[in-house]
Amino acid sequence: MPTYRLFSLIFLAISSWLTATAQTSELPLHLFSYDKTAPLAFTDSLIGTQQGVHIHKVSYASPVKGRVSGLLFIPSVKGPFAGILLQHGAPGTAMNQTPRGVYLARHGAVVLATNAPFAERGGDPIQFTPADSVEQVTYMINLQRAVDLLISRPDVDPNRLGYVGRSHGGAMGALFAGIERRLKTYILVVADGGLIAHFSSEKGELSDQVPLTCEQRKRWIAAMQPIEPIRYIHRAAPASLFMQSARQDEAVSTFAAEQLQKAAPANKVIKWYDAGHRLNTQSYIDQLAWFHDQLGTTAPGPDDQKGPDFPDAAAPKKNP
């Protein structure tokens, strides 16, 4: 049998198995287990104050490897506060989230923004090798540890925990919602179903943006499919979901956004905005209102109408 024919049969067999597995509740949740008793080894350094919010550079030990760095935003008034995880897109870093972290923290939340594993190592965020799968699992474990960190703080109410992530951070939130059971609510901003969904057409074919041979594509899909976020989001309940999408999104297709929305459980609110991938000011006000309803933070007021205090930005890049 010719080699190309053998590869084709193997690929079809793997695809059939993955499709069947994706339609069941048998998910490899064991991949995301970690030692909850390991010390956090937390470090903390105050680096500034903005609009009554103290900004700290922080790090903690990863249960997998090395350390996780990020920023912690703490209101200057007395708590206890809600606790919110704030996750960046790809490419991106926790530092990029400073305007959003301040914007949220001013309303009575301790906000923790951590660096994804690709931000810690530098270079291209997506490698299109099985290493992407390893990093995604590491990311989920590191985020669970971030929840441990928030809960360990005496100024955080463990019953008022939430998550907000945009683009790649939104997709990772869909996966995290299927793993982590301690959060009350998630805001998924311009999210799709994961890396495979992001780089696939409506027919399920990988885009030409993926610079791989047939064999390399097979290996990458086999590594990523078991942990594709769209397979996990149905487990988000009883946590609530607020899903924000853009009608003119240049990075996430309407089809991909809708597929994730359809896979989500009933306890969700979906809102579409007449905007591009960066969304608009109203989307940030809506996030404040959502956390007010779900976590008891303060409601948005007149000072919030202009949105986070972002610096002038260049045209957005078409990355997840």
Side-chain angles (χ1 to χ4, degrees):
M1 180 181 295
T3 301
Y4 75 87
R5 175 63 175 163
L6 177 61
F7 282 161
S8 178
L9 290 174
I10 292 172
F11 178 73
L12 287 173
I14 290 174
S15 297
S16 297
W17 177 81
L18 288 171
T19 299
T21 302
Q23 294 172 346
T24 73
S25 60
E26 296 178 3
L27 298 172
L29 294 169
H30 65 280
L31 294 175
F32 309 106
S33 299
Y34 67 101
D35 182 4
K36 296 177 174 60
T37 66
L40 279 166
F42 178 65
T43 66
D44 178 353
S45 175
L46 178 66
I47 59 174
T49 301
Q50 293 183 23
Q51 302 178 46
V53 173
H54 300 310
I55 305 172
H56 298 245
K57 184 178 180 180
V58 299
S59 72
Y60 58 90
S62 168
V64 180
K65 180 182 179 181
R67 297 186 64 79
V68 182
S69 61
L71 296 177
L72 190 66
F73 303 87
I74 306 173
S76 57
V77 298
K78 186 177 181 180
F81 307 108
I84 296 175
L85 294 180
L86 170 62
Q87 292 308 123
H88 61 80
T93 65
M95 187 65 70
N96 299 150
Q97 302 306 300
T98 298
R100 298 176 69 208
V102 171
Y103 190 71
L104 291 168
R106 286 196 298 108
H107 291 267
V110 170
V111 180
L112 176 59
T114 67
N115 282 315
F118 62 75
E120 298 283 7
R121 66 168 163 78
D124 291 337
I126 304 167
Q127 303 169 85
F128 295 110
T129 73
D132 291 330
S133 176
V134 175
E135 287 196 338
Q136 190 163 299
V137 170
T138 298
Y139 197 1
M140 293 302 104
I141 293 174
N142 290 348
L143 284 177
Q144 290 177 83
R145 205 57 171 149
V147 177
D148 294 342
L149 195 161
L150 285 176
I151 290 176
S152 74
R153 296 184 59 87
D155 57 354
V156 171
D157 181 349
N159 296 312
R160 295 193 292 141
L161 302 178
Y163 178 104
V164 55
R166 63 166 284 109
S167 198
H168 180 270
M172 293 303 100
L175 175 56
F176 195 52
I179 298 167
E180 176 58 62
R181 317 314 291 168
R182 293 171 290 180
L183 272 60
K184 187 175 180 181
T185 192
Y186 293 78
I187 302 179
L188 309 182
V189 187
V190 290
D192 55 28
L195 291 181
I196 295 175
H198 184 81
F199 290 104
S200 295
S201 69
E202 294 184 18
K203 296 181 180 180
E205 300 169 345
L206 285 186
S207 163
D208 291 339
Q209 297 179 62
V210 182
L212 303 176
T213 66
C214 180
E215 178 66 16
Q216 290 170 332
R217 289 182 178 216
K218 179 189 71 175
R219 288 199 299 268
W220 188 68
I221 291 172
M224 299 306 300
Q225 185 70 31
I227 56 170
E228 185 80 339
I230 197 169
R231 297 184 59 209
Y232 289 75
I233 194 171
H234 72 278
R235 300 186 77 251
S240 59
L241 298 172
F242 182 29
M243 308 179 79
Q244 297 179 301
S245 296
R247 297 191 188 281
Q248 291 84 45
D249 199 322
E250 65 278 9
V252 173
S253 71
T254 299
F255 175 80
E258 289 178 338
Q259 289 301 107
L260 182 65
Q261 293 164 4
K262 290 175 183 177
N267 195 19
K268 64 190 172 188
V269 171
I270 298 168
K271 185 167 183 179
W272 288 84
Y273 298 82
D274 289 321
H277 192 62
R278 294 179 65 85
L279 286 185
N280 53 29
T281 301
Q282 186 59 49
S283 69
Y284 296 108
I285 298 171
D286 291 345
Q287 291 171 20
L288 293 180
W290 181 265
F291 282 138
H292 169 64
D293 291 340
Q294 300 292 315
L295 302 181
T297 53
T298 58
D303 292 342
D304 301 307
Q305 299 308 304
K306 65 178 183 178
D309 189 16
F310 290 114
D312 292 337
K317 297 180 181 180
K318 296 183 179 181
N319 292 92

